[in-house]
C-alpha cells in the first residue's frame, strides 16, 4: 500500500525514518464516515487509528442514554495509542464526528514496535499525555464555563482539525456533544450568527470571524492548543506537512 511519507497525520509525519520503517508496512487504509464507532467504552482496543482527515470524538455515556464529549482528535493525533502501552481497554467511546479517512494498524503490531523502539514508545506516551490534558481541560470547561464560551471553543477546535471554515455539523449533534438541550444550542448559535461570527444552515456551520469567535470562547481553547504544542509539537497554525520541521527522507510506503 504505497503511501506518501508526507502523511497528513501529525504523529506519522513526526516519526523518524527508522520508526516509520517499523510501522508503515503494516498500515492499512480506513474510511471513517460520520458516526462510525472506532471502539466502545470497555472494549479491548484491537486496532490503532491515525486520522488523516475528519474528527473523532471521545465520548462518555450515561445509563440514561445521554453522553458528552470528553475530547476530540483528528489529523493531530492517534486514536487508541494506549493499546500499544498496555492500556488495551477503552475508557470511552470513539465515534466519527465528521467524515474522514486515515490509516490503522493492529494494536499488537504497534505494541511490538514500541517495545523495539524507545523513540516510538515515547512518542506514543506523549500522545496519551496530550489527550489526557485535553480531557481534563474539557471537564473543567464543561463544569465552569458558559455555553457560549464552550460552543465557541468547540467550533474553533473542529475548524482546526478539519482545516476548514465550513463545518458539517447539525445543532442536534452539537447539543449531544456538549451535553445540553438542542434549544439551548439554537439560542447561542443564533447569538453568534447575529454577532457576525458564524453563519449556519441545516447540517453546516460556516465560521466567518475567527478572531471574534476566539474572543467569544473561554481560555480552554488556548490551553488545549498549548498542551498539544508542548507535548507533541502540533499547532493548528502549522501545515500538516512542513518540510522545515520534519524529515521526509524515508522510502515511500
Amino acid at each position: 500500500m504505497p503511501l506518501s511519507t508526507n502523511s497528513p497525520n501529525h504523529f506519522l509525519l513526526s516519526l523518524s525514518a527508522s520508526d516509520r520503517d517499523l510501522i508503515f508496512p503494516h498500515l492499512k487504509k480506513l474510511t471513517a464516515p460520520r458516526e462510525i464507532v472506532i471502539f466502545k467504552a470497555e472494549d479491548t482496543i484491537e486496532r490503532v487509528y491515525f486520522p488523516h482527515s475528519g474528527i473523532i470524538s471521545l465520548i462518555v455515556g450515561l445509563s440514561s442514554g445521554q453522553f458528552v464529549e470528553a475530547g476530540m482528535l483528528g489529523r493531530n493525533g492517534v486514536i487508541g495509542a494506549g493499546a500499544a502501552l498496555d492500556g488495551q481497554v477503552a475508557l470511552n467511546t470513539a465515534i466519527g464526528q465528521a467524515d474522514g479517512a486515515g490509516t490503522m494498524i493492529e494494536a499488537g503490531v504497534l505494541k511490538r514496535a514500541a517495545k523495539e523502539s524507545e523513540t516510538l514508545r515515547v512518542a506514543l506516551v506523549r500522545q496519551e499525555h496530550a489527550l489526557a490534558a485535553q480531557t481534563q481541560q474539557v471537564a473543567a470547561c464543561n463544569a465552569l464555563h458558559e455555553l457560549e464560551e464552550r460552543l465557541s471553543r468547540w467550533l474553533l477546535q473542529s475548524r482546526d482539525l478539519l482545516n476548514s471554515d465550513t463545518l458539517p455539523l447539525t445543532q442536534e449533534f452539537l447539543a449531544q456533544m456538549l451535553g445540553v438541550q438542542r434549544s439551548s444550542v439554537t439560542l447561542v448559535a443564533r447569538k453568534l450568527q447575529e454577532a457576525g461570527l458564524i453563519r449556519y444552515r441545516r447540517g453546516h456551520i460556516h465560521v466567518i470571524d475567527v478572531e471574534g469567535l476566539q474572543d467569544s470562547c473561554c481560555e480552554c481553547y488556548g490551553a488545549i492548543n498549548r498542551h498539544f504544542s508542548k507535548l507533541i509539537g502540533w499547532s493548528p497554525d502549522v501545515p500538516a506537512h512542513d518540510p522545515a520541521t520534519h524529515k521526509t527522507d524515508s522510502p515511500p510506503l
Side-chain angles (χ1 to χ4, degrees), residues 39-45 58-61 70 80 82 87-94 128 131-132 135:
F39 50 74
K40 294 182 179 179
E42 301 184 8
D43 279 355
T44 297
I45 300 175
L58 304 175
I59 62 174
V60 177
Q88 285 190 283
V89 176
L91 301 179
N92 41 45
T93 296
E128 288 295 274
L131 176 58
T135 56

Side-chain angles (χ1 to χ4, degrees), residues 8-30:
N9 181 271
H10 173 79
F11 177 83
L12 295 178
L13 182 60
S14 69
L15 295 178
S16 66
S18 58
D19 284 343
R20 292 182 195 181
D21 289 342
L22 284 175
I23 68 173
F24 271 37
H26 305 285
L27 293 176
K28 298 179 181 179
K29 292 182 179 179
L30 174 68

Side-chain angles (χ1 to χ4, degrees), residues 71-229:
M72 64 171 75
L73 290 170
R75 59 194 176 95
N76 61 337
V78 184
I79 309 297
L85 303 167
D86 296 324
Q88 285 190 283
V89 176
L91 301 179
N92 41 45
T93 296
I95 185 172
Q97 179 193 124
D99 291 344
T103 50
M104 64 180 181
I105 188 172
E106 296 296 322
V109 173
L110 184 59
K111 186 175 182 178
R112 290 192 293 272
K115 287 183 177 179
E116 184 175 338
S117 169
E118 182 178 0
T119 55
L120 177 58
R121 186 165 60 252
V122 168
L124 289 166
V125 168
R126 285 182 172 273
Q127 284 285 332
E128 288 295 274
H129 285 173
L131 176 58
Q134 179 185 184
T135 56
Q136 291 171 14
Q137 194 75 44
V138 169
C141 186
N142 289 340
L144 299 174
H145 293 147
E146 299 294 331
L147 180 56
E148 179 178 339
E149 296 174 311
R150 293 166 55 202
L151 177 57
S152 297
R153 182 263 301 167
W154 199 88
L155 292 174
L156 287 168
Q157 282 188 268
S158 298
R159 176 183 179 272
D160 290 342
L161 293 179
L162 293 174
N163 198 27
S164 172
D165 288 328
T166 300
L167 313 178
L169 307 168
T170 65
Q171 290 187 32
E172 181 177 2
F173 188 78
L174 286 168
Q176 291 175 332
M177 291 295 101
L178 294 169
V180 298
Q181 296 294 321
R182 178 179 175 178
S183 58
S184 299
V185 170
T186 298
L187 290 173
V188 174
R190 183 177 300 154
K191 181 179 179 181
L192 295 177
Q193 180 166 262
E194 290 173 350
L197 305 184
I198 65 171
R199 182 174 64 251
Y200 68 88
R201 58 184 175 85
R202 184 170 179 80
H204 291 84
I205 295 177
H206 186 73
V207 177
I208 299 173
D209 184 348
V210 176
E211 292 184 358
L213 205 57
Q214 290 173 342
D215 290 338
S216 176
C217 79
C218 53
E219 64 193 73
C220 296
Y221 171 67
I224 290 170
N225 282 341
R226 287 193 296 274
H227 292 321
F228 274 81
S229 177

